[in-house]
Amino acid sequence: MLEVAKPHFPAGAQQSATVANPASGASPDLLPHFQLEPEDVYIVKNKAVSLACRATPATQIYFKCNGEWVHQGDHVTQHSTDRSTGLPVMEVRIEVTRQQVEKIFGLEEYWCQCVAWSSSGTTKSQKAFVRIAYLRKNFEQEPTAREVSIEQGIVLPCRPPEGIPPAEVEWLRNEELVDPALDANVYVTPEHSLVLRQARLADTANYTCVAKNIVARRRSSSAAIIVYVNGGWSTWTQWSGCSTSCGRGWQKRSRTCTNPTPLNGGAFCEGQNVQKTACTTLCPVDGAWSEWSKWSECGAECTHWRSRECSEPAPRNGGRDCHGPELDTQNCTSELCTHAAPGAEDVALYVGLVAVAVCLVLLLLVGVLVYCRKKGGLDADVADSSILTAGFQPVSIKPSKADNPSLLTIQPDLSTTTMTYQGSLCSRQDGPAKLQLPNGHLLSPLGAGRHTLHHSSPAAEGADFVARLSTQSYFRSLPRGTNNMAYGTFNFLGGRLMIPNTGISLLIPPDAIPRGKIYEVYLTLHKQEEVRLPLAGCQTLLSPIVSCGPPGVLLTRPAILAMGHCVEASAENWSIRLKKQSCEGTWEDVLQLGAEPCTELYYCQLEAQACYVFTEQLGRFALVGESLSMAASKRLKLVLFAPAACPSLEYNIRVYCLSDTQDVLKEVIQLEKQLGGQLIGAPRVLHFKDSYHNLRLSIHDMPSSLWKSKLLASYQEIPFYHIWSGLQPFLHCTFTLERLSTSTCELACKIWVWQVEGDGQSFTVNFNIAKDTRFSDWLVPDNEVATPALVGPSAFKIPFLIRQKIISSLDPPGTRGADWRTLAQKLNLDSHLSFFASKPSPTAMILNLWEARHFPNGNLSQLAAAVAEIGKQDGALFAVSEAEC
């Protein structure tokens, strides 16, 4: 404990006489100036606190606490010199204990003050108050549980316990911190009350008020807030048809208590859900024939006729028409019924017609022979370069002629580890007014020599590739195993990687890899539990998370990464961004769709169900969206599965609510195959809106004499945020049914899936649980190929020679606009002209995108027709001389 005592010298005039050895640099005309003054402090528990002050120029400094001098021995003094002024500096510290403060507790507050002396006089510092910190246990007011209607305002009061310093208050919702900065619907008043402007279903939770200061942290009792929804009637349906087809009957219309459906104890709708009214239906009258008319006179053809009408009575009110013919004819004889023998004039006419027909046939045969003779000198492989006559037939499937071994031969063999290509020896020379082709070979980029390309064999073990990959630093972030991985070895000829049944592929165009380089490239699909993608606010994952690499690969032209998405895109409802994970592991926005790109390294073509990402840097990508209005919606795929066998009385139906992308569906199918599940019906698509409403599922129309549901509630719910985030891929609900007899094998019911104030779908379930139902063929898309890696020309629909000719013809500006811009317009890609124009070869970018969108079932004839239309705008475009080769 510090002792309070006066210093050894008196105040006033005697003070200066007691100063021993003042600093040589001290100025006799300066009063002390405090550089550091004591500040208010709190004593926590029994821990002493320290007070400090520093002054210049000062010969002595002492503390005075509550008017009493602190004993000289309780001061810790430190001397120094101010380097800038050369004046002496003195710093003094003391400690204050809890016992010293409690000694005068209740009389006044404990305070301390510094007094500094110099030869010119004294200076006093500000007062520093020392207080004992505490926080009471009991809240002065705690929040209470409430039930409120949706969109009603809520105020939860909270008055924290008494404490020094005053406690800070924060709120917890289901043990998670409530941050008003992230939710505009929430704010905290200066009196610490929590205010919800409009109650939402998502606000149903337990709320806790938390008070804390430097001493302790106190929690109030939790208050349960239940947001209920009162039921509301839907609009009336149309009146049904009359119950009788003839005479007096009745008709009805109905409505349901689903606008909205009562929730969390909300009141059910008042009034009738069915209305009936009387109706009268006119009885149908069947038609009947009238009497036959009289026979007509016998005509030159030796026939006469008679007729009747369906008019006694005519059919009305839906009655049946008359059955039978309206007209009756018979043979007859009279003076008009005579047939003259053919004369010589008729014979001459018939002979002349036959002669003309024979001449036309002969002329047609002569024309066909002349045409074939002219085409006979044009080799089949070389003719492939004519866009307008060959229709883009792939070079790799044309047979080569035995008598011409120097023709282009491209026969990829994926069962070996090398592929060999031989350049064409056939050069083309265009005549006047033709398209000027470069001198030399059409396959001039390859030269006349042979090129060997190493690539992964389909028979090669995936483990070998993974073993090689495991030596790299980025391997730790890749999925283990090769089920969702494709890989291959590529050079300047390019190629394609695909993960089967996922819609995910990577196109490496020709010349994207520098010549002389060979890269081992991989493409992987990540499960969402393997990669942490942080989402904020209303953001949601719209696509699978896909990696392609290795990172740092140098590409001279953009590769195209194709993957599915589940967004119903519109500029007024969505802000969509392409995210890429950096080397440090953080996710960065590299592109905002619809906005001007800030870099030429990335571009994205967004279509109805897929996006195509142009990238010159390989890495990990994902498509993330942020809703701008409650009309924004995502596509969900609803899929029903049930056990293939039912040995017990219980039977489970699982309803999956998936993001509408092929990769998620593939994973669920594999999971259900392991569980022994069978598919019930075809999947349905549901548009899930950003309306904060949960997804509801219910089962109806089940025969109660055969089955009963073990579900206690009338429906099940999947929370809105679980679906909207997109980070929980396999959300599902299970309906547990029980059959009343083991002999029951037939199940017929309806399952409804809907979002309140949103879209809905229903499934009609009608199947035999004793039969073996297999997965349908629709589960594997028709356009998927089994080979995950294609290398060289076999990976492209457009033959290499045709591609080079289109690029060299359309890249330069053409007359009357016959260039790459017109091709983009005809392929509905004119919204991306600025991106294409930024590349050295805009035509190559257009053809690469066409390859990514239409492989493997693209219609080359349509592309040929588009190019041919451009050729009609310029008479010299794509003209090919008959004397070529």
Side-chain angles (χ1 to χ4, degrees):
M1 180 183 297
L2 296 180
E3 297 181 4
V4 180
K6 291 186 178 181
H8 292 290
F9 50 84
Q14 296 180 359
Q15 170 184 325
S16 60
T18 63
V19 177
N21 299 325
S24 60
S27 174
D29 300 328
L30 294 178
L31 287 173
H33 168 71
F34 281 99
Q35 296 178 341
L36 174 65
E37 297 186 73
E39 297 181 348
D40 296 346
V41 290
Y42 295 93
I43 295 178
V44 179
K45 297 182 179 179
N46 294 320
K47 194 172 182 180
V49 295
S50 178
L51 298 176
C53 62
R54 184 171 62 247
T56 182
T59 56
Q60 290 187 3
I61 301 177
Y62 287 94
F63 272 92
K64 179 185 287 187
C65 294
N66 285 77
E68 298 291 334
W69 293 101
V70 178
H71 195 277
Q72 183 178 5
D74 295 330
H75 291 75
V76 178
T77 306
Q78 183 178 355
H79 295 275
S80 62
T81 303
D82 193 325
R83 295 183 179 179
S84 60
T85 62
L87 297 176
V89 178
M90 180 178 289
E91 183 173 343
V92 176
R93 294 179 180 271
I94 65 170
E95 284 193 349
V96 181
T97 66
R98 184 185 183 103
Q99 290 79 4
Q100 290 176 262
V101 178
E102 288 178 341
K103 193 174 182 180
I104 63 168
F105 184 75
L107 302 177
E108 59 177 328
E109 288 193 291
Y110 192 93
W111 57 267
C112 292
Q113 184 180 40
C114 277
V115 181
W117 283 267
S118 73
S119 58
S120 300
T122 63
T123 303
K124 294 181 180 181
S125 71
Q126 66 181 11
K127 288 184 179 181
F129 291 90
V130 181
R131 300 179 177 93
I132 298 176
Y134 66 94
L135 183 63
R136 306 288 186 200
K137 289 186 177 181
N138 297 326
F139 280 75
E140 296 183 7
Q141 185 179 9
E142 292 186 304
T144 56
R146 296 183 58 187
E147 294 184 0
V148 297
S149 175
I150 194 168
E151 297 184 354
Q152 180 181 339
I154 306 175
V155 179
L156 295 176
C158 176
R159 292 172 59 191
E162 179 187 353
I164 293 179
E168 298 178 356
V169 173
E170 62 185 19
W171 284 87
L172 301 180
R173 177 196 286 137
N174 288 342
E175 302 303 320
E176 293 184 0
L177 182 65
V178 176
D179 189 355
L182 300 178
D183 190 348
N185 193 47
V186 177
Y187 71 92
V188 179
T189 67
E191 293 79 21
H192 309 303
S193 297
L194 179 66
V195 178
L196 305 179
R197 291 184 172 90
Q198 287 186 325
R200 304 163 299 192
L201 288 177
D203 294 325
T204 299
N206 291 322
Y207 290 83
T208 308
C209 181
V210 178
K212 61 182 179 180
N213 65 4
I214 59 176
V215 179
R217 186 173 186 266
R218 313 291 187 203
R219 291 168 56 99
S220 71
S221 300
S222 295
I225 299 299
I226 298 177
V227 181
Y228 62 84
V229 179
N230 292 325
W233 289 114
S234 65
T235 57
W236 289 101
T237 62
Q238 298 292 329
W239 287 103
S240 66
C242 201
S243 60
T244 61
S245 59
C246 178
R248 187 174 179 82
W250 55 269
Q251 58 185 156
K252 67 177 182 177
R253 63 177 183 174
S254 62
R255 58 181 178 175
T256 57
C257 189
T258 58
N259 188 30
T261 303
L263 184 64
N264 295 338
F268 199 78
C269 303
E270 296 182 359
Q272 297 180 345
N273 64 337
V274 177
Q275 285 184 344
K276 290 186 178 181
T277 184
C279 59
T280 302
T281 304
L282 296 176
C283 296
V285 176
D286 296 336
W289 292 112
S290 63
E291 295 292 332
W292 288 103
S293 65
K294 294 182 178 180
W295 288 101
S296 66
E297 294 185 1
C298 194
E301 294 82 8
C302 299
T303 59
H304 63 172
W305 56 269
R306 62 177 180 174
S307 64
R308 58 180 177 175
E309 295 179 351
C310 187
S311 58
E312 294 184 2
R316 61 181 182 271
N317 303 332
R320 294 191 298 266
D321 285 336
C322 301
H323 180 71
E326 289 184 308
L327 192 66
D328 183 23
T329 59
Q330 287 184 356
N331 292 330
C332 62
T333 56
S334 70
E335 65 278 3
L336 296 178
C337 186
T338 57
H339 297 282
E345 295 84 3
D346 294 331
V347 174
L349 176 61
Y350 294 148
V351 171
L353 291 175
V354 171
V356 170
V358 171
C359 292
L360 291 176
V361 171
L362 291 176
L363 288 174
L364 180 60
L365 292 175
V366 171
V368 170
L369 291 175
V370 172
Y371 176 79
C372 293
R373 182 180 297 275
K374 289 184 178 181
K375 294 295 291 182
L378 191 61
D379 181 78
D381 287 304
V382 178
D384 191 45
S385 65
S386 174
I387 298 174
L388 301 182
T389 59
F392 290 152
Q393 295 300 319
V395 177
S396 59
I397 64 172
K398 283 186 174 290
S400 60
K401 292 189 176 182
D403 58 349
N404 193 352
S406 64
L407 291 179
L408 174 65
T409 303
I410 302 179
Q411 300 287 338
D413 182 7
L414 296 180
S415 65
T416 64
T417 58
T418 62
M419 292 172 61
T420 303
Y421 303 93
Q422 181 177 355
S424 171
L425 300 179
C426 176
S427 62
R428 297 197 169 201
Q429 301 294 337
D430 286 339
K434 307 293 184 182
L435 175 66
Q436 296 301 316
L437 298 176
N439 293 329
H441 309 302
L442 279 178
L443 197 57
S444 56
L446 290 177
R450 302 173 70 87
H451 301 270
T452 301
L453 172 61
H454 298 273
H455 68 92
S456 296
S457 168
E461 292 291 339
D464 295 340
F465 178 81
V466 174
R468 293 194 302 274
L469 204 63
S470 63
T471 61
Q472 306 299 325
S473 60
Y474 52 81
F475 177 75
R476 293 190 300 271
S477 64
L478 295 179
R480 300 300 179 260
T482 57
N483 290 337
N484 288 325
M485 175 182 289
Y487 51 89
T489 306
F490 302 91
N491 69 354
F492 71 95
L493 292 174
R496 187 187 306 262
L497 291 175
M498 292 162 290
I499 303 178
N501 301 329
T502 63
I504 299 172
S505 65
L506 178 68
L507 177 73
I508 304 175
D511 291 327
I513 298 176
R515 294 183 178 240
K517 299 285 186 180
I518 296 179
Y519 294 150
E520 275 194 339
V521 182
Y522 64 82
L523 177 67
T524 63
L525 166 65
H526 293 273
K527 295 183 179 179
Q528 292 170 356
E529 60 267 23
E530 296 173 344
V531 179
R532 184 177 180 275
L533 175 61
L535 299 176
C538 299
Q539 289 185 340
T540 174
L541 181 64
L542 301 175
S543 73
I545 302 175
V546 180
S547 290
C548 53
V553 165
L554 175 64
L555 297 178
T556 58
R557 295 186 180 181
I560 302 180
L561 175 64
M563 55 186 178
H565 67 79
C566 60
V567 62
E568 289 295 308
S570 61
E572 62 271 15
N573 295 333
W574 283 100
S575 173
I576 303 176
R577 300 173 186 271
L578 178 67
K579 285 184 174 287
K580 181 176 183 288
Q581 193 174 32
S582 65
C583 298
E584 294 77 19
T586 59
W587 287 88
E588 302 170 348
D589 294 338
V590 296
L591 182 66
Q592 180 175 356
L593 275 65
E596 192 68 22
C598 57
T599 175
E600 294 183 359
L601 295 177
Y602 308 99
Y603 194 77
C604 185
Q605 157 80 359
L606 188 68
E607 298 189 352
Q609 293 185 331
C611 64
Y612 301 90
V613 179
F614 291 78
T615 175
E616 297 181 17
Q617 294 182 353
L618 303 184
R620 185 169 298 159
F621 296 92
L623 206 63
V624 172
E626 184 173 0
S627 64
L628 304 178
S629 71
M630 296 181 68
S633 65
K634 295 174 57 176
R635 292 191 313 275
L636 298 183
K637 181 152 286 185
L638 308 177
V639 191
L640 270 64
F641 286 95
C646 184
S648 64
L649 294 178
E650 281 193 357
Y651 194 72
N652 296 323
I653 298 178
R654 292 180 290 276
V655 184
Y656 286 85
C657 304
L658 314 173
S659 297
D660 187 16
T661 56
Q662 293 184 33
D663 60 291
V664 180
L665 183 60
K666 172 187 174 183
E667 292 290 335
V668 170
I669 292 170
Q670 292 176 347
L671 174 64
E672 281 293 333
K673 284 185 176 180
Q674 296 173 1
L675 297 176
Q678 65 177 352
L679 180 70
I680 304 176
R684 307 288 179 87
V685 174
L686 182 141
H687 294 86
F688 190 76
K689 292 186 178 180
D690 182 18
S691 62
Y692 299 101
H693 291 297
N694 299 340
L695 191 69
R696 296 178 179 174
L697 304 93
S698 60
I699 188 167
H700 305 276
D701 300 343
M702 191 169 50
S704 58
S705 59
L706 301 176
W707 294 85
K708 71 176 182 178
S709 173
K710 302 188 73 172
L711 183 67
L712 299 179
S714 59
Y715 56 82
Q716 300 188 65
E717 275 194 342
I718 300 178
F720 169 83
Y721 289 105
H722 290 183
I723 299 176
W724 190 254
S725 68
L727 298 178
Q728 302 187 38
F730 306 140
L731 290 171
H732 69 279
C733 284
T734 300
F735 291 96
T736 301
L737 310 179
E738 183 177 0
R739 49 181 176 170
L740 303 181
S741 171
T742 54
S743 61
T744 301
C745 295
E746 297 291 336
L747 173 61
C749 62
K750 284 188 177 180
I751 295 179
W752 281 91
V753 183
W754 79 100
Q755 184 185 21
V756 179
E757 299 182 4
D759 196 3
Q761 284 286 1
S762 67
F763 291 83
T764 299
V765 178
N766 194 345
F767 67 103
N768 191 318
I769 64 176
K771 294 182 180 179
D772 180 18
T773 305
R774 301 185 180 275
F775 289 92
S776 303
D777 293 336
W778 63 265
L779 297 177
V780 180
D782 294 335
N783 60 349
E784 285 286 357
V785 295
T787 306
L790 295 175
V791 183
S794 62
F796 304 97
K797 293 286 292 182
I798 307 174
F800 188 82
L801 305 182
I802 303 298
R803 173 189 172 92
Q804 294 298 98
K805 183 171 182 179
I806 296 175
I807 293 173
S808 62
S809 302
L810 297 185
D811 271 349
T815 59
R816 295 189 296 276
D819 57 12
W820 62 270
R821 293 174 179 82
T822 306
L823 179 61
Q825 292 173 358
K826 290 186 175 297
L827 299 180
N828 298 321
L829 300 175
D830 47 342
S831 59
H832 311 295
L833 293 181
S834 58
F835 168 72
F836 296 145
S838 67
K839 299 302 177 184
S841 175
T843 309
M845 294 297 101
I846 297 173
L847 296 181
N848 293 343
L849 180 56
W850 188 92
E851 289 277 8
R853 295 168 68 192
H854 297 93
F855 189 87
N857 296 327
N859 191 336
L860 284 172
S861 299
Q862 293 181 356
L863 180 60
V867 177
E869 285 294 326
I870 301 175
K872 292 179 181 179
Q873 300 179 22
D874 190 332
L877 190 61
F878 300 124
V880 180
S881 172
E882 294 181 358
E884 288 178 283
C885 291

